[in-house]
Short mmCIF file of all heavy atoms in Angstrom, two decimals:
data_model
loop_
_atom_site.label_atom_id
_atom_site.label_comp_id
_atom_site.label_asym_id
_atom_site.label_seq_id
_atom_site.Cartn_x
_atom_site.Cartn_y
_atom_site.Cartn_z
N LYS A 1 5.88 17.68 -10.48
CA LYS A 1 6.92 18.69 -10.64
C LYS A 1 6.81 19.32 -12.02
O LYS A 1 6.36 18.70 -12.96
CB LYS A 1 8.30 18.03 -10.47
CG LYS A 1 8.56 17.46 -9.09
CD LYS A 1 9.93 16.83 -9.01
CE LYS A 1 10.19 16.25 -7.62
NZ LYS A 1 11.53 15.61 -7.51
N ALA A 2 7.24 20.57 -12.12
CA ALA A 2 7.19 21.28 -13.39
C ALA A 2 8.08 20.55 -14.40
O ALA A 2 9.22 20.26 -14.11
CB ALA A 2 7.66 22.72 -13.21
N GLY A 3 7.52 20.26 -15.56
CA GLY A 3 8.28 19.58 -16.59
C GLY A 3 8.20 18.08 -16.55
O GLY A 3 8.44 17.44 -17.56
N LYS A 4 7.83 17.50 -15.41
CA LYS A 4 7.67 16.04 -15.36
C LYS A 4 6.59 15.70 -14.29
O LYS A 4 6.91 15.27 -13.18
CB LYS A 4 8.99 15.32 -15.05
CG LYS A 4 9.70 15.74 -13.76
CD LYS A 4 10.86 14.80 -13.49
CE LYS A 4 11.53 15.15 -12.15
NZ LYS A 4 12.63 14.25 -11.83
N PRO A 5 5.31 15.92 -14.66
CA PRO A 5 4.25 15.61 -13.71
C PRO A 5 4.16 14.13 -13.38
O PRO A 5 3.73 13.79 -12.28
CB PRO A 5 2.99 16.11 -14.44
CG PRO A 5 3.37 16.10 -15.89
CD PRO A 5 4.82 16.45 -15.93
N ASN A 6 4.54 13.29 -14.32
CA ASN A 6 4.48 11.82 -14.13
C ASN A 6 5.74 11.16 -14.66
O ASN A 6 6.36 11.65 -15.61
CB ASN A 6 3.27 11.23 -14.85
CG ASN A 6 1.95 11.76 -14.35
OD1 ASN A 6 1.64 11.67 -13.18
ND2 ASN A 6 1.21 12.41 -15.24
N GLU A 7 6.13 10.06 -14.02
CA GLU A 7 7.21 9.21 -14.52
C GLU A 7 6.71 7.77 -14.53
O GLU A 7 5.77 7.44 -13.80
CB GLU A 7 8.47 9.35 -13.66
CG GLU A 7 9.16 10.68 -13.81
CD GLU A 7 10.50 10.74 -13.09
OE1 GLU A 7 10.76 9.88 -12.26
OE2 GLU A 7 11.28 11.67 -13.35
N PHE A 8 7.35 6.96 -15.32
CA PHE A 8 6.92 5.55 -15.43
C PHE A 8 8.08 4.63 -15.11
O PHE A 8 9.20 4.83 -15.59
CB PHE A 8 6.42 5.27 -16.86
CG PHE A 8 5.18 6.05 -17.22
CD1 PHE A 8 5.26 7.31 -17.73
CD2 PHE A 8 3.93 5.49 -17.02
CE1 PHE A 8 4.13 8.06 -18.04
CE2 PHE A 8 2.79 6.22 -17.33
CZ PHE A 8 2.88 7.50 -17.83
N GLY A 9 7.81 3.69 -14.26
CA GLY A 9 8.86 2.73 -13.85
C GLY A 9 8.52 2.12 -12.52
O GLY A 9 7.37 1.80 -12.25
N ARG A 10 9.51 1.95 -11.68
CA ARG A 10 9.30 1.43 -10.34
C ARG A 10 10.06 2.33 -9.37
O ARG A 10 11.05 2.99 -9.73
CB ARG A 10 9.76 -0.01 -10.21
CG ARG A 10 11.25 -0.27 -10.26
CD ARG A 10 11.55 -1.74 -10.03
NE ARG A 10 11.00 -2.17 -8.76
CZ ARG A 10 10.42 -3.36 -8.58
NH1 ARG A 10 10.33 -4.23 -9.59
NH2 ARG A 10 9.91 -3.69 -7.41
N ALA A 11 9.61 2.38 -8.12
CA ALA A 11 10.19 3.28 -7.10
C ALA A 11 11.03 2.49 -6.12
O ALA A 11 10.78 1.32 -5.84
CB ALA A 11 9.11 4.05 -6.38
N PHE A 12 12.08 3.15 -5.60
CA PHE A 12 12.92 2.60 -4.55
C PHE A 12 12.89 3.55 -3.36
O PHE A 12 12.80 4.78 -3.52
CB PHE A 12 14.39 2.46 -5.01
CG PHE A 12 14.60 1.34 -6.02
CD1 PHE A 12 14.43 1.59 -7.34
CD2 PHE A 12 15.01 0.10 -5.59
CE1 PHE A 12 14.63 0.58 -8.30
CE2 PHE A 12 15.20 -0.91 -6.52
CZ PHE A 12 15.03 -0.68 -7.88
N GLN A 13 12.91 2.98 -2.16
CA GLN A 13 13.04 3.79 -0.95
C GLN A 13 14.52 3.79 -0.54
O GLN A 13 15.14 2.76 -0.32
CB GLN A 13 12.22 3.17 0.17
CG GLN A 13 10.72 3.34 0.04
CD GLN A 13 10.27 4.79 0.19
OE1 GLN A 13 10.98 5.63 0.75
NE2 GLN A 13 9.09 5.09 -0.33
N LEU A 14 15.10 5.02 -0.53
CA LEU A 14 16.51 5.17 -0.20
C LEU A 14 16.65 5.96 1.09
O LEU A 14 15.86 6.90 1.36
CB LEU A 14 17.24 5.92 -1.32
CG LEU A 14 17.21 5.31 -2.70
CD1 LEU A 14 17.97 6.20 -3.68
CD2 LEU A 14 17.82 3.92 -2.69
N GLY A 15 17.66 5.60 1.87
CA GLY A 15 17.96 6.32 3.11
C GLY A 15 19.41 6.78 3.10
O GLY A 15 20.26 6.13 2.54
N ARG A 16 19.64 7.92 3.75
CA ARG A 16 21.00 8.45 3.89
C ARG A 16 21.45 8.13 5.33
O ARG A 16 20.78 8.42 6.27
CB ARG A 16 21.00 9.95 3.68
CG ARG A 16 22.32 10.65 3.92
CD ARG A 16 22.09 12.14 3.95
NE ARG A 16 23.31 12.89 4.19
CZ ARG A 16 23.34 14.13 4.66
NH1 ARG A 16 22.21 14.77 4.92
NH2 ARG A 16 24.48 14.75 4.85
N ILE A 17 22.64 7.51 5.44
CA ILE A 17 23.15 7.17 6.75
C ILE A 17 24.52 7.81 6.91
O ILE A 17 25.00 8.52 6.02
CB ILE A 17 23.26 5.63 6.92
CG1 ILE A 17 24.15 5.03 5.82
CG2 ILE A 17 21.89 4.99 6.88
CD1 ILE A 17 24.32 3.51 5.92
N GLY A 18 25.16 7.63 8.10
CA GLY A 18 26.41 8.25 8.38
C GLY A 18 27.48 8.06 7.32
O GLY A 18 27.58 6.99 6.71
N GLY A 19 28.27 9.11 7.09
CA GLY A 19 29.34 9.05 6.06
C GLY A 19 28.82 9.34 4.67
O GLY A 19 29.53 9.12 3.70
N ASN A 20 27.57 9.78 4.57
CA ASN A 20 26.96 10.06 3.26
C ASN A 20 26.87 8.81 2.38
O ASN A 20 27.09 8.88 1.16
CB ASN A 20 27.68 11.18 2.52
CG ASN A 20 27.22 12.56 2.98
OD1 ASN A 20 26.11 12.69 3.52
ND2 ASN A 20 28.03 13.56 2.74
N PHE A 21 26.55 7.69 3.02
CA PHE A 21 26.26 6.48 2.27
C PHE A 21 24.77 6.37 2.09
O PHE A 21 23.97 6.95 2.88
CB PHE A 21 26.80 5.24 3.00
CG PHE A 21 28.28 5.15 3.03
CD1 PHE A 21 29.02 5.62 4.12
CD2 PHE A 21 28.97 4.55 1.98
CE1 PHE A 21 30.42 5.54 4.12
CE2 PHE A 21 30.38 4.45 1.98
CZ PHE A 21 31.06 4.95 3.05
N LEU A 22 24.35 5.62 1.09
CA LEU A 22 22.93 5.37 0.85
C LEU A 22 22.61 3.91 1.18
O LEU A 22 23.44 3.04 1.02
CB LEU A 22 22.56 5.60 -0.60
CG LEU A 22 22.57 7.06 -1.09
CD1 LEU A 22 22.28 7.12 -2.58
CD2 LEU A 22 21.58 7.92 -0.32
N ILE A 23 21.41 3.69 1.67
CA ILE A 23 20.91 2.34 1.87
C ILE A 23 19.64 2.17 1.05
O ILE A 23 18.73 3.00 1.15
CB ILE A 23 20.69 2.04 3.37
CG1 ILE A 23 20.10 0.63 3.54
CG2 ILE A 23 19.81 3.09 4.04
CD1 ILE A 23 20.03 0.18 4.99
N ALA A 24 19.60 1.13 0.23
CA ALA A 24 18.42 0.81 -0.57
C ALA A 24 17.61 -0.23 0.19
O ALA A 24 18.05 -1.36 0.34
CB ALA A 24 18.81 0.29 -1.95
N PHE A 25 16.44 0.16 0.64
CA PHE A 25 15.64 -0.75 1.44
C PHE A 25 14.89 -1.73 0.54
O PHE A 25 14.73 -1.51 -0.67
CB PHE A 25 14.64 0.04 2.29
CG PHE A 25 15.30 0.89 3.35
CD1 PHE A 25 15.50 2.26 3.14
CD2 PHE A 25 15.75 0.32 4.52
CE1 PHE A 25 16.10 3.05 4.10
CE2 PHE A 25 16.39 1.10 5.48
CZ PHE A 25 16.56 2.46 5.27
N THR A 26 14.50 -2.84 1.11
CA THR A 26 13.86 -3.93 0.35
C THR A 26 12.63 -3.42 -0.39
O THR A 26 11.75 -2.78 0.21
CB THR A 26 13.44 -5.08 1.29
OG1 THR A 26 14.61 -5.57 1.97
CG2 THR A 26 12.83 -6.22 0.51
N SER A 27 12.58 -3.70 -1.67
CA SER A 27 11.46 -3.26 -2.49
C SER A 27 10.38 -4.33 -2.44
O SER A 27 10.53 -5.44 -2.94
CB SER A 27 11.93 -3.06 -3.95
OG SER A 27 10.87 -2.60 -4.77
N THR A 28 9.26 -3.98 -1.81
CA THR A 28 8.17 -4.95 -1.62
C THR A 28 7.02 -4.70 -2.59
O THR A 28 6.07 -5.50 -2.66
CB THR A 28 7.62 -4.87 -0.19
OG1 THR A 28 7.23 -3.52 0.09
CG2 THR A 28 8.68 -5.30 0.80
N SER A 29 7.08 -3.59 -3.33
CA SER A 29 6.03 -3.33 -4.31
C SER A 29 6.66 -2.41 -5.40
O SER A 29 7.75 -1.87 -5.24
CB SER A 29 4.80 -2.62 -3.72
OG SER A 29 5.14 -1.31 -3.33
N VAL A 30 5.94 -2.26 -6.49
CA VAL A 30 6.45 -1.41 -7.59
C VAL A 30 6.38 0.06 -7.22
O VAL A 30 7.30 0.83 -7.51
CB VAL A 30 5.65 -1.69 -8.88
CG1 VAL A 30 6.17 -0.80 -10.02
CG2 VAL A 30 5.75 -3.14 -9.26
N ARG A 31 5.33 0.47 -6.51
CA ARG A 31 5.14 1.87 -6.23
C ARG A 31 5.90 2.31 -4.98
O ARG A 31 6.39 3.46 -4.89
CB ARG A 31 3.67 2.18 -6.02
CG ARG A 31 2.84 2.01 -7.30
CD ARG A 31 1.40 2.48 -7.07
NE ARG A 31 1.36 3.92 -6.86
CZ ARG A 31 1.22 4.81 -7.83
NH1 ARG A 31 1.13 4.41 -9.09
NH2 ARG A 31 1.19 6.09 -7.57
N MET A 32 6.01 1.48 -3.97
CA MET A 32 6.69 1.79 -2.73
C MET A 32 6.26 3.17 -2.21
O MET A 32 7.03 4.12 -2.07
CB MET A 32 8.23 1.77 -2.91
CG MET A 32 8.79 0.39 -3.12
SD MET A 32 8.55 -0.73 -1.72
CE MET A 32 9.59 -0.02 -0.47
N GLU A 33 4.94 3.27 -1.92
CA GLU A 33 4.38 4.54 -1.42
C GLU A 33 5.09 4.99 -0.15
O GLU A 33 5.49 4.18 0.69
CB GLU A 33 2.89 4.36 -1.16
CG GLU A 33 2.11 3.96 -2.38
CD GLU A 33 1.85 5.10 -3.34
OE1 GLU A 33 2.34 6.20 -3.08
OE2 GLU A 33 1.17 4.89 -4.35
N ASP A 34 5.21 6.31 0.02
CA ASP A 34 6.00 6.84 1.13
C ASP A 34 5.43 6.53 2.49
O ASP A 34 6.12 5.99 3.37
CB ASP A 34 6.12 8.36 0.98
CG ASP A 34 7.03 8.75 -0.21
OD1 ASP A 34 7.72 7.87 -0.72
OD2 ASP A 34 7.02 9.91 -0.63
N LYS A 35 4.16 6.87 2.72
CA LYS A 35 3.59 6.68 4.07
C LYS A 35 3.68 5.25 4.57
O LYS A 35 4.13 5.00 5.68
CB LYS A 35 2.13 7.19 4.09
CG LYS A 35 1.96 8.68 4.25
CD LYS A 35 0.50 9.01 4.41
CE LYS A 35 0.29 10.53 4.57
NZ LYS A 35 0.63 11.28 3.35
N PRO A 36 3.21 4.27 3.76
CA PRO A 36 3.26 2.88 4.28
C PRO A 36 4.68 2.32 4.41
O PRO A 36 4.87 1.27 5.01
CB PRO A 36 2.50 2.10 3.21
CG PRO A 36 1.69 3.08 2.44
CD PRO A 36 2.51 4.33 2.48
N SER A 37 5.67 3.02 3.81
CA SER A 37 7.04 2.46 3.77
C SER A 37 7.87 2.90 5.00
O SER A 37 8.87 2.26 5.29
CB SER A 37 7.77 2.94 2.50
OG SER A 37 7.17 2.43 1.37
N LEU A 38 7.43 3.94 5.72
CA LEU A 38 8.30 4.51 6.76
C LEU A 38 8.61 3.52 7.86
O LEU A 38 9.79 3.28 8.19
CB LEU A 38 7.68 5.77 7.33
CG LEU A 38 8.50 6.46 8.43
CD1 LEU A 38 9.89 6.85 7.88
CD2 LEU A 38 7.79 7.70 8.98
#
């Protein structure tokens, strides 16, 4: 992204469910890549 090509830390996979609540799914790795996480 413009202004922040890279960030440092760990990633979380978040989902939006009914009522505009968020669900934080189990973090099994630091990167939590998108494709393998679906």
Side-chain angles (χ1 to χ4, degrees):
K1 296 180 180 178
K4 57 171 184 178
N6 299 300
E7 289 186 346
F8 295 86
R10 70 176 304 140
F12 288 87
Q13 288 291 341
L14 301 179
R16 175 192 179 201
I17 57 178
N20 277 339
F21 291 95
L22 291 176
I23 177 171
F25 295 99
T26 301
S27 183
T28 55
S29 71
V30 179
R31 295 186 66 89
M32 290 298 292
E33 300 284 1
D34 290 346
K35 278 187 180 67
S37 297
L38 181 58

